[in-house]
């Protein structure tokens, strides 16, 4: 899947394309693919910055894998651009977490009965060790959070795995920015306590 | 370490936390005590979560994955 640099369609156009794609229009799919890829590539770059040295995933491979999974969701009825990115964030999470789990298993010769924890190293100097996040543990904690509070779990997915800003997240979830800010703060508290325990 | 919270309990905790965050830090404890109305387990739960907020307000999860 090669991607020429195409300018992103404006939001109403994306919604049209999503509906057409959902209805099985293959032309819509072709137009959406560059949009999806460009956005996913941007997200993948953010994600891979966190992997530090020696990461094994290339940006393109990550994007392609996420895109393939998205494409497999063809039957889902996507009504809006924001829903599209919500699904993309979910796919980014799965790709990154699966990668983390696979690497942990590989380190143990593939015979792991339990998954070892893998740390994502901060690449910026000055970040404290408090900022290291264990992707596998986070994923497990997010599943537990989703059982308690699906909205917060999705918010974390968008903010952390998709790197969306508070305004973008507010738009995606149909919430005010103030609410997103508060929900985010509480979600982080809960996750922080879970990951510390 | 995960606490087994009921959905209802979580909503209570969540509500109190969100309002507590709107208060000045020095007024938070008083608000929490009042809001928990003598329910000590509830107050402890809220307090431990607020501690997670205060202890590392910095970059936890703030940089995308």
């Amino acid at each position: 899947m090669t991607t020429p640099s195409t300018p992103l369609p404006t939001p109403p156009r994306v919604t049209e394309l999503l509906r057409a794609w959902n209805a099985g229009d293959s032309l819509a799919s072709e137009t959406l693919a560059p949009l999806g890829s460009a956005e996913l590539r941007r997200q993948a770059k953010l994600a891979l910055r966190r992997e530090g040295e020696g990461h094994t995933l290339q940006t393109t491979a990550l994007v392609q894998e996420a895109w393939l999974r998205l494409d497999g969701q063809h039957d889902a009825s996507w009504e809006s651009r924001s829903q599209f990115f919500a699904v993309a964030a979910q796919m980014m999470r799965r790709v990154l977490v699966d990668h983390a789990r696979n690497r942990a298993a590989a380190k143990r010769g593939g015979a792991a009965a339990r998954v070892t924890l893998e740390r994502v190293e901060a690449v910026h100097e000055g970040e404290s060790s408090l900022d290291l996040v264990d992707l596998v543990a986070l994923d497990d904690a997010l599943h537990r959070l989703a059982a308690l509070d699906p909205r917060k779990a999705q918010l974390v997915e968008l903010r952390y795995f998709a790197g969306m800003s508070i305004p973008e997240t507010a738009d995606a979830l149909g919430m005010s920015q103030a609410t997103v800010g508060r929900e985010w703060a509480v979600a982080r508290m809960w996750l922080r306590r879970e990951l510390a325990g | 370490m995960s606490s087994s919270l009921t959905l209802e309990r979580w909503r209570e905790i969540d509500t109190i936390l969100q309002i507590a965050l709107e208060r000045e830090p020095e007024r938070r404890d008083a608000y929490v005590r009042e809001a928990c109305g003598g329910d000590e387990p509830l107050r402890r739960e809220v307090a431990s979560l607020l501690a997670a907020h205060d202890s590392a307000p910095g970059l936890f999860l703030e940089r995308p994955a």
Side-chain angles (χ1 to χ4, degrees):
Chain A
M1 177 180 58
T2 57
T3 313
S5 50
T6 325
L8 300 183
T10 59
R13 175 92 174 107
V14 174
T15 307
E16 274 172 49
L17 288 170
L18 283 171
R19 289 208 190 96
W21 181 16
N22 190 48
D25 180 338
S26 61
L27 270 184
S29 175
E30 281 171 30
T31 312
L32 259 182
L35 164 68
S37 293
E39 186 60 28
L40 289 171
R41 178 161 291 127
R42 182 180 73 83
Q43 292 171 8
K45 274 185 184 156
L46 285 173
L48 288 170
R49 255 177 41 210
R50 312 317 312 153
E51 291 244 3
E53 291 181 21
H55 69 76
T56 55
L57 282 180
Q58 299 302 309
T59 307
T60 306
L62 182 63
V63 167
Q64 284 179 346
E65 186 174 354
W67 183 253
L68 280 172
R69 295 190 192 202
L70 268 174
D71 208 39
Q73 303 291 313
H74 199 285
D75 291 340
S77 64
W78 291 350
E79 296 180 353
S80 70
R81 183 176 197 261
S82 59
Q83 193 177 2
F84 175 86
F85 289 123
V87 174
Q90 188 178 53
M91 292 302 166
M92 290 296 294
R93 171 183 168 188
R94 284 197 213 162
V95 169
L96 284 168
V97 171
D98 285 355
H99 175 63
R101 290 189 192 270
N102 289 340
R103 281 177 74 182
K107 280 177 190 169
R108 296 198 144 196
R114 58 190 174 91
V115 178
T116 54
L117 306 181
E118 171 164 295
R119 311 197 78 91
V120 177
E121 300 291 330
V123 293
H124 291 268
E125 289 182 14
E127 286 187 10
S128 73
S129 62
L130 293 172
D131 303 316
L132 296 176
V133 174
D134 182 316
L135 273 185
V136 173
L138 175 63
D139 186 61
D140 291 342
L142 262 182
H143 282 297
R144 293 194 295 275
L145 179 59
L148 266 183
D149 195 326
R151 188 165 85 166
K152 286 189 180 59
Q154 193 187 15
L155 195 154
V156 172
E157 215 164 49
L158 292 169
R159 291 275 289 146
Y160 186 69
F161 288 98
M164 288 168 78
S165 67
I166 287 186
E168 286 171 331
T169 304
D171 181 56
L173 295 177
M175 292 162 53
S176 73
Q177 293 185 33
T179 305
V180 169
R182 288 193 303 271
E183 290 277 301
W184 171 241
V186 174
R188 286 172 73 222
M189 277 183 221
W190 191 89
L191 287 167
R192 173 125 227 172
R193 195 180 68 174
E194 290 292 300
L195 295 184
Chain B
M1 171 206 137
S2 68
S3 48
S4 47
L5 293 168
T6 62
L7 295 183
E8 199 183 297
R9 187 64 145 184
W10 172 247
R11 281 198 199 100
E12 271 187 278
I13 293 166
D14 183 28
T15 303
I16 295 172
L17 281 171
Q18 294 205 21
I19 297 172
L21 286 174
E22 304 278 294
R23 297 282 188 274
E24 299 293 319
E26 59 270 15
R27 297 202 180 156
R28 251 169 227 164
D29 282 350
Y31 163 72
V32 168
R33 246 167 248 283
E34 188 196 319
C36 292
D39 183 341
E40 188 55 21
L42 176 63
R43 194 202 60 78
R44 272 201 306 270
E45 188 77 20
V46 171
S48 83
L49 285 162
L50 276 173
H53 174 76
D54 293 334
S55 71
L59 294 172
F60 176 66
L61 296 189
E62 286 290 1
R63 292 187 188 271

